[in-house]
């Protein structure tokens, strides 16, 4: 708990209850204060000042009152018949620390003026308190050291205060509702909340980081808008290149249809159920690749028509489309194979993204052949049948002018109409393609340039530049490859498994970073997590590896036999030896390992004047462990059922699974090296136990923890 309601403090609050009538001060000492999402801003004190300075307390007080006013107006807080409880903070501490009766009702200015005499004493008390936290704090009992003042909270001070003597980070816990509607409303109002002034800066979030999630959801919506913008840009690019609204429309339809068609194959044919949001990024990929396929098909058709101006549409299709299909197939299959190869990654979201994008690429090619190729035939037929009728064509060669021309006019060759001079140029161009590469195609033949589009001239120019500089470019590429390989080899693994999605400049990410400076957060981390030593189960994963939502089923270890005399003794011994290790602490003050509990129960029952009926019916008069093997299963099963010990699981009257839970010192968001060291320490001890101490039937124990799943993924 971040706050202890002692009898003395309760008495003082009751004496001052007339200052805040109808307020439930017990909330400050309830688990719901920290177990539910509360508005919990973190404050950073600027320069070398401390939050215990009177001026800083004044600024915090003003900021809290401004924020509290908004919360009360919106009905987002609770705790009093009229208004809300004041937030748990240094300001509340100062009000309660004053010996005068009106501390709770003082204005911020009056509190500042009255705080001076208490500052030095409070500083010394807090240093002693935080020092005792470092040496005496028990994560199991979570008891605040006796040296701490009654109304002190670990959420009020940074964890290194005993070293620096400066409260550089502190926080305020507002008594706010934790339902989804209130959290969304507070997120919308976060810009209205006071964030301090000259001496202190505040950032807002809840301790559960609800605002991070809401912000990320909003960012995803914005990203979808960007996806639409990219679609518009692609549409413009296709229009510029093809100069045909019809081909542009068909190209966009081809790209858009590839997504639902890929989803059909992904879900119904391949039977993949897990569809991560990452898959939607495939839209960005396929818009670029789909537009490229349209460009290739259109260019192949234009070149065939220019080279064979008198041929029929069928002949042009016979020449251009197979050539376009083969060119697109090479790029398509290369890209698809690259995506499918990534599917070897065992991380489900990455694997599913690779498969889905591979399908997008393949099916976009399929749709291009089915839709764009026939559209090009229709486009060519329409152009050839226009004759001398006026046709509206969009030209981008000259300042992107929209103009209407007669068929056969200047520059119409790109739209499909062909003049006699262009026929000659087509033959000339066939010969020019055989020129020596040293001839500058862009500089030679100005007449030819007039019939080559701007895009083609740019690409030809780039081609000859790259060709002339191919060896310098090759050398630079090799140097870049070596440099990047060296830097890649120096990359470190993520130091924490805690996934962060926001930048450091976002307020809610700052709240996360600053919260880690608080003593409260460090104590919370010190509590570690629950791990288990397990017998009777194989470390198997039978779940669907492609769907994280589908968990594994238990695979029993049929060789586990706890009934033999040797097995009972080993399991009884390991109950005590486990908690003698540095890496393991009991999960609670009342916890007793199952075999130790059964052993003590047998001792008590065997010496009792009137043993329980369960003991008489199942335990054959055993007075301790080990007991006779033939009565072990019935005795332990009946005892576990009687005391509701969930760490002993039986099947058909036989003890099948046995667990020893313990508090581990590490959590999933600890530094990777710390997790790695702890894993190796426990693993080495388990191997020693199985090899040197365990009997046959109990030598396949292993340990596991949800926190080590994260470690395994990182490693």
């Amino acid at each position: 708990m971040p706050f202890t309601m002692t009898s003395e403090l309760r008495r003082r609050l009751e004496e001052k209850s007339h200052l805040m009538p109808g307020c439930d001060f017990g909330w400050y000492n309830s688990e719901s204060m920290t177990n539910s999402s509360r508005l919990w801003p973190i404050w950073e004190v600027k320069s070398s000042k401390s939050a215990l300075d009177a001026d800083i307390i004044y600024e915090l007080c003003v900021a809290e009152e401004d924020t509290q006013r908004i919360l009360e107006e919106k009905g987002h807080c609770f705790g009093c018949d009229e208004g809300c409880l004041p937030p748990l903070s240094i300001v509340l501490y100062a009000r309660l620390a004053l010996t005068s009766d009106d501390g709770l009702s003082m204005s911020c200015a009056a509190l500042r003026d009255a705080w001076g005499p208490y500052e030095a004493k409070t500083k010394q008390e807090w240093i002693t308190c935080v020092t005792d936290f470092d040496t005496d704090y028990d994560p199991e009992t979570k008891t605040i050291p006796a040296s701490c003042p009654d109304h002190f909270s670990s959420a009020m001070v940074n964890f290194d205060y005993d070293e620096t003597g400066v409260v550089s980070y502190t926080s305020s816990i507002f008594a706010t509702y934790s339902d989804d509607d209130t959290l969304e409303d507070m997120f919308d109002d976060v810009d209205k909340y006071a964030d301090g002034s000259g001496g202190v800066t505040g950032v807002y979030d809840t301790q559960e980081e609800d605002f991070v999630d809401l912000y990320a959801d909003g960012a995803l919506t914005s990203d979808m808008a960007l996806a639409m913008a990219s679609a518009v840009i692609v549409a413009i690019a296709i229009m510029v290149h093809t100069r045909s609204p019809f081909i542009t429309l068909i190209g966009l339809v081809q790209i858009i249809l590839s997504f639902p068609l890929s989803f059909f194959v992904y879900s119904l044919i391949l039977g993949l159920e897990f569809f991560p949001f990452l898959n939607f990024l495939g839209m960005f990929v396929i818009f670029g690749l789909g537009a490229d396929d349209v460009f290739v098909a259109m260019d192949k058709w234009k070149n065939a028509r220019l080279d064979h101006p008198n041929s029929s549409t069928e002949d042009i299709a016979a020449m251009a489309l197979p050539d376009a299909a083969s060119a697109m197939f090479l790029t398509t299959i290369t890209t698809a194979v690259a995506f499918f190869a990534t599917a070897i990654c065992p991380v489900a979201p990455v694997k599913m993204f690779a498969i889905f994008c591979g399908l997008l690429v393949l099916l976009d090619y399929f749709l291009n052949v089915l839709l764009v190729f026939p559209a090009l035939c229709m486009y060519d037929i329409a152009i050839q049948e226009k004759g001398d009728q006026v046709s509206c064509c969009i030209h981008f060669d000259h300042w992107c002018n929209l103009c209407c021309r007669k068929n056969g006019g200047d520059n119409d060759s790109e739209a499909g109409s062909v003049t006699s001079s262009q026929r000659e140029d087509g033959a000339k161009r066939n010969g020019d393609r055989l020129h020596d590469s040293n001839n500058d195609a862009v500089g030679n033949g100005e007449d030819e340039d007039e019939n080559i589009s701007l895009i083609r001239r740019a690409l030809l120019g780039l081609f000859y530049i790259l060709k002339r500089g191919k060896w310098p470019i090759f050398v630079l590429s090799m140097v870049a490859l070596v440099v990047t390989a060296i830097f890649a080899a120096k990359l470190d693994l993520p130091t924490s498994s805690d996934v962060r999605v926001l930048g450091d400049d976002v307020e809610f990410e700052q709240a996360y970073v600053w919260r880690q400076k608080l003593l409260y957060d460090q104590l919370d981390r010190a509590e570690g997590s629950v791990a288990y030593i397990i017998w009777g189960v194989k470390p198997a994963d039978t779940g669907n590896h492609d769907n994280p939502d589908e968990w594994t089923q238990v695979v029993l270890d049929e060789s586990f036999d706890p009934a033999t005399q040797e097995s009972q003794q080993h399991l009884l011994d390991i109950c005590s030896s486990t908690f003698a290790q540095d890496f393991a602490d009991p999960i609670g003050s009342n916890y007793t390992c199952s075999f130790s509990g059964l052993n003590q129960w047998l001792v008590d029952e065997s010496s009792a004047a009137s043993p329980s009926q369960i003991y008489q019916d199942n335990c054959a008069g055993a007075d301790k462990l080990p007991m006779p093997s033939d009565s072990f299963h019935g005795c332990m099963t009946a005892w576990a059922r009687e005391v509701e010990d969930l760490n002993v699981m039986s099947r058909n009257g036989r003890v099948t699974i046995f667990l020893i839970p313990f508090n581990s010192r590490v959590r999933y968001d600890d530094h990777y090296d710390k997790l790695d060291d702890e894993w190796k320490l426990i693993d080495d001890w388990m191997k020693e136990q199985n090899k040197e101490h365990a009997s046959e039937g109990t030598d396949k124990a292993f340990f596991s923890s949800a926190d080590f799943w994260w470690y395994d993924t990182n490693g």
Side-chain angles (χ1 to χ4, degrees), residues 348-617:
V350 176
K351 181 178 182 179
M352 297 300 101
F353 171 73
I355 293 175
F356 187 72
C357 284
L359 291 174
L360 278 174
V361 174
L362 290 178
L363 294 174
D364 177 77
Y365 171 79
F366 175 72
L367 288 171
N368 187 282
V369 172
L370 287 184
L371 298 179
V372 176
F373 283 12
L376 287 172
C377 294
M378 297 168 63
Y379 169 79
D380 187 77
I381 291 173
I383 292 295
Q384 297 303 316
E385 291 179 351
K386 284 180 181 178
D388 292 331
Q389 297 178 2
V390 175
S391 65
C392 289
C393 305
I394 300 177
H395 296 278
F396 296 90
D397 283 346
H398 304 289
W399 311 103
C400 298
N401 293 323
L402 179 65
C403 58
C404 289
R405 300 183 184 273
K406 289 274 189 176
N407 282 343
D410 294 341
N411 296 322
D412 276 353
S413 62
E414 291 297 323
S417 58
V418 182
T419 66
S420 59
S421 63
Q422 290 165 354
R423 294 188 184 98
E424 296 174 1
D425 289 339
K428 181 176 181 292
R429 186 160 42 255
N430 288 334
D432 288 344
R433 289 173 183 158
L434 301 177
H435 282 181
D436 186 82
S437 60
N438 292 326
N439 291 332
D440 188 347
V442 179
N444 295 339
E446 295 182 0
D447 292 338
E448 180 184 357
D449 288 347
E450 296 178 358
N451 298 311
I452 301 179
S453 69
L454 176 63
I455 294 177
R456 293 184 64 192
R457 288 201 299 271
L459 293 177
L460 283 172
L462 178 62
F463 165 75
Y464 284 109
I465 291 174
L466 294 176
K467 184 175 182 181
R468 288 170 179 170
K470 60 184 178 182
W471 290 114
I473 292 174
F474 174 77
V475 173
L476 290 175
S477 298
M478 292 297 101
V479 172
L481 178 62
V482 172
V483 171
T484 54
I486 292 174
F487 278 95
K490 296 180 180 179
L491 291 176
D492 295 326
L493 283 169
T495 58
S496 171
S497 298
D498 193 8
V499 180
R500 311 307 305 171
V501 297
L502 303 184
D504 294 338
D505 57 335
V506 178
E507 174 181 359
F508 314 123
E509 185 65 18
Q510 289 179 342
Y512 164 79
V513 174
W514 292 1
R515 182 172 286 107
Q516 295 182 77
K517 308 288 186 179
L518 297 179
L519 176 62
Y520 174 84
D521 191 78
Q522 295 299 311
L523 297 178
D524 186 51
R525 291 173 180 271
E527 295 174 12
S529 60
V530 178
Y532 297 87
I533 301 176
I534 306 170
W535 287 266
V537 175
K538 293 181 179 180
D541 184 0
T542 61
N544 184 354
H545 294 187
D546 296 335
N547 186 1
D549 296 328
E550 183 176 320
W551 289 69
T552 185
Q553 294 182 347
V554 173
V555 178
L556 295 177
D557 177 12
E558 301 295 343
S559 67
F560 174 55
D561 183 10
T564 65
Q565 298 274 318
E566 295 80 4
S567 295
Q568 294 179 48
Q569 187 62 54
H570 170 64
L571 294 175
L572 180 61
D573 292 341
I574 204 172
C575 273
S576 57
S577 62
T578 296
F579 298 103
Q581 307 305 311
D582 292 337
F583 59 75
D585 288 316
I587 59 174
S589 57
N590 297 322
Y591 169 76
T592 301
C593 181
S594 302
F595 271 76
S596 298
L598 175 62
N599 184 63
Q600 186 61 48
W601 182 75
L602 291 174
V603 172
D604 294 340
E605 289 292 327
S606 62
S607 60
S610 300
S612 65
Q613 194 63 42
I614 293 176
Y615 173 78
Q616 297 181 47
D617 293 344

Side-chain angles (χ1 to χ4, degrees), residues 64-246:
E64 288 179 359
E65 287 187 350
D66 291 344
T67 300
Q68 183 91 336
R69 189 179 304 111
I70 297 173
L71 295 174
E72 291 180 355
E73 290 174 356
K74 298 294 184 69
H76 293 159
C77 56
F78 61 88
C80 298
D81 293 342
E82 295 183 6
C84 304
L85 281 169
L88 176 67
S89 68
I90 277 185
V91 176
L92 180 63
Y93 180 95
R95 293 184 183 280
L96 294 175
L98 298 180
T99 56
S100 59
D101 292 337
D102 59 346
L104 289 174
S105 60
M106 276 186 177
S107 67
C108 293
L111 179 64
R112 175 188 57 195
D113 297 338
W115 176 247
Y118 298 88
E119 182 177 331
K121 177 185 176 183
T122 301
K123 177 179 179 179
Q124 188 56 50
E125 289 177 344
W126 282 26
I127 289 177
T128 303
C129 172
V130 175
T131 301
D132 289 346
F133 264 113
D134 291 340
T135 57
D136 300 335
Y137 180 71
D138 185 357
E140 181 182 337
T141 61
K142 304 180 183 180
T143 303
I144 293 180
S147 60
C148 296
D150 289 342
H151 44 294
F152 173 82
S153 168
S154 58
M156 296 177 182
V157 64
N158 39 289
F159 66 88
D160 58 350
Y161 177 69
D162 56 332
E163 300 175 1
T164 64
V166 175
V167 181
S168 52
Y169 292 91
T170 185
S171 68
S172 306
I173 308 176
F174 287 86
T176 55
Y177 295 107
S178 57
D179 59 278
D180 291 341
D181 291 339
T182 299
L183 292 173
E184 291 177 5
D185 289 344
M186 290 193 298
F187 173 76
D188 294 335
D189 292 338
V190 73
D191 291 335
K192 302 177 184 178
Y193 298 150
D195 56 4
S197 52
V200 66
T201 301
V203 288
Y204 285 79
D205 201 348
T206 69
Q207 79 275 28
E208 301 295 337
E209 297 191 84
D210 297 281
F211 291 178
V212 171
D213 296 335
L214 292 170
Y215 183 90
D217 290 343
L220 291 176
T221 302
S222 300
D223 289 345
M224 293 309 297
L226 291 176
M228 296 302 298
S230 69
V232 172
I233 294 173
V234 168
I236 294 173
I238 297 176
M239 180 72 78
V240 169
H241 190 75
T242 65
R243 304 179 186 177
S244 169
F246 175 66

Side-chain angles (χ1 to χ4, degrees), residues 250-269:
I250 297 301
L252 290 177
V253 170
Q254 159 227 320
I255 294 171
I256 294 172
L257 287 180
S258 65
F259 200 91
L261 183 58
S262 298
F263 183 75
F264 172 82
V265 175
Y266 179 94
S267 299
L268 298 182
I269 296 180

